[in-house]
Amino acid sequence: MEKVVIIGSGMAGLTAAIYTSRANLSPLVISGKDEGGQLMLTTIVENYPCFPEGISGPEMVTRAREQAKKFGTRFRDGNIESFSVKAGSGHNTYEIGVEGEKIEALSVIIATGASAKMLGIESELKYFNRGVHTCATCDGPLYGGKDVVVIGGGDSACEESMFLSKVASSVTIVHRRGEFRASKIMADRVFANQKIRVIWNSGVEEVLGENRRVTGVRIKDVVTGKTAELKASAVFLAIGHVPNSQPFRHLLDVDEVGYLKADSRMRTKLPGVFVAGDVYDRVYRQAITAAGTGCQAAIEAERYLDGIEH
Ligand code: NAP
C-alpha cells in the first residue's frame, strides 16, 4: 500500500513530490503521457523567481525531478486508466489503474494539468515552439518589437493580447466570429489599445514559415471566403484549455468546463484526495502557482496521513 501517489509530473506534481518525499512519505509519481507537463512545451521561463537569467522549461522540470528523486521519490511511467475508491473502516483507500497494474494508496494528489487546445492544422505542429505558442506570459517576451497574431475571442485571447501589446510592435487578433466571447471589460480594453487590431469572422488556414521560423499566417474570411496573408513572427493560440480531469470525473466534482473542484486547502470531496496545478486552476495557470498548490496539497496529504495513523 502506497502512502501517497501523485498523478502527474509537471511543476505541481513535482513540487508535491519534493514536499512529500522530504516528509519521508516515499511518494510514487505516475508520470503520465506528457511527462513534465506544459513546461516541456515552453522555451524560456523568465518569470519564475530565482532565475534572473531565465531557465528553459525542460531544464526546470529536470531539476525539479532530480530534487524529488534526491529525497526518495519514485517514478512510474504510464497513463491512468482507472481510479476507484474502497471505503474502509476509518479511512478510504484508492486504487489507481496504470497500464494493467493496480496501485493502492492511502492518499492521492491529482496534478494531471491541462492541455492547451490546438487548431488541428498540420502547420501549427510544425512550428510549435518556433513561433507557435500557447502562453503569452511565458513566450511573449521573445517577440519584443515584432508583429504577432493571437487566435481566439475569449478572455484569454484578450488578456494575452494586452500582455503582448506591451512587448510586441503590433498585435492582430484573428477571431472566427463577429463578436468577442470575452467579458465586456476585457473586450473594451482591447478596443482601446492602439497596438491591437481585430480581424473578425476569420479562421487560420495555415501557419506560414521559412527556415523553421514563423513568417505569418494565411487566414480565410468565413463570410466572404476570401483568403489573405498576414505577416507575423509569432502566433499565440488562445482558444481555451482542456483540464485533464477525465479519469476522475465519475468520483469528484468538476466545474462546467471540467476543472476539478477543491477547497482552499486543495481537498476534494473524497478524504485523502487532493488536487494541485492546472487541472484545478483555470485562472492563473503559471508554473509558480502550480508549484504553490503542489506544496499545499503535499502538506495537506501529510496532515491527513498523520490523522489516520493516530
Ligand atoms: P473560452 O472562453 O472558451 O474562449 C475560447 C475562444 O477561442 C472563443 O472565442 C472561441 O470561439 C475560440 N475558439 C475555440 N476553439 C476554436 C477553434 N478551434 N478555432 C478558432 N477559435 C476557437 O476560453 P478562454 O478565453 O481560455 O477562457 C476560459 C475561461 O477562463 C473563461 O471562463 C474566461 O472567462 C476565464 N478567463 C478569465 C480571465 C480574466 O478574467 N482575467 C482571463 C483568462 C481566462 P467562439 O467565441 O466562437 O466560441
Side-chain angles (χ1 to χ4, degrees), residues 117 119 153-156 159 175-177 181 239-240 282:
K117 270 175 69 180
L119 292 168
D155 280 331
S156 292
E159 194 171 70
H175 182 35
R176 65 183 178 183
R177 288 191 297 131
R181 171 177 300 279
I239 59 174
R282 65 185 283 181

Side-chain angles (χ1 to χ4, degrees), residues 6 10-17 19-20 48 108-113 260 262-267 274-301:
I6 298 165
M11 196 40 80
L14 291 173
T15 304
Y19 273 78
T20 48
Y48 200 96
V108 178
I109 297 174
I110 301 171
T112 42
L260 291 177
D263 67 10
S264 59
R265 290 168 59 184
M266 303 297 122
R267 298 180 296 192
F274 306 89
V275 295
D278 288 14
V279 71
Y280 145 89
D281 167 21
R282 65 185 283 181
V283 179
Y284 301 105
R285 304 193 299 238
Q286 302 295 303
I288 187 83
T289 48
T293 52
C295 159
Q296 285 175 267
I299 290 172
E300 291 298 337

Side-chain angles (χ1 to χ4, degrees), residues 97-308:
V98 186
E99 296 179 354
E101 189 189 346
K102 300 281 184 206
I103 298 167
E104 280 195 76
L106 291 174
S107 70
V108 178
I109 297 174
I110 301 171
T112 42
S115 306
K117 270 175 69 180
M118 304 289 285
L119 292 168
I121 55 176
E122 209 176 292
S123 49
E124 73 186 340
L125 296 178
K126 183 171 170 192
Y127 294 106
F128 197 72
N129 257 340
R130 296 198 194 105
V132 175
H133 302 279
T134 54
C135 172
T137 331
C138 318
D139 298 313
L142 304 174
Y143 299 96
K146 308 272 193 208
D147 300 316
V148 302
V149 165
V150 173
I151 319 290
D155 280 331
S156 292
C158 291
E159 194 171 70
E160 305 260 284
S161 300
M162 296 296 295
F163 178 83
L164 287 165
S165 72
K166 292 179 196 152
V167 288
S169 82
S170 80
V171 181
T172 303
I173 299 178
V174 176
H175 182 35
R176 65 183 178 183
R177 288 191 297 131
E179 61 179 349
F180 278 141
R181 171 177 300 279
S183 51
K184 188 174 178 310
I185 187 167
M186 298 289 275
D188 285 348
R189 279 184 202 155
V190 162
F191 296 139
N193 189 314
Q194 299 294 315
K195 282 171 102 181
I196 306 175
R197 70 167 172 153
V198 186
I199 298 182
W200 303 104
N201 298 313
S202 295
V204 171
E205 278 196 334
E206 194 178 349
V207 178
L208 308 169
E210 243 176 51
N211 299 328
R212 297 160 61 110
R213 294 299 311 172
V214 166
T215 55
V217 285
R218 189 172 63 249
I219 59 170
K220 184 175 182 179
D221 187 310
V222 294
V223 179
T224 65
K226 279 191 183 158
T227 59
E229 287 189 8
L230 305 177
K231 282 199 165 59
S233 301
V235 181
F236 287 85
L237 304 176
I239 59 174
H241 280 77
V242 189
N244 300 319
S245 59
Q246 209 64 45
F248 315 103
R249 289 187 190 182
H250 61 300
L251 289 176
L252 298 176
D253 291 336
V254 291
D255 71 6
E256 67 283 3
V257 183
Y259 286 90
L260 291 177
K261 285 188 177 174
D263 67 10
S264 59
R265 290 168 59 184
M266 303 297 122
R267 298 180 296 192
T268 67
K269 71 177 189 189
L270 286 176
V273 178
F274 306 89
V275 295
D278 288 14
V279 71
Y280 145 89
D281 167 21
R282 65 185 283 181
V283 179
Y284 301 105
R285 304 193 299 238
Q286 302 295 303
I288 187 83
T289 48
T293 52
C295 159
Q296 285 175 267
I299 290 172
E300 291 298 337
E302 190 188 342
R303 286 181 183 157
Y304 170 79
L305 290 167
D306 267 354
I308 62 173

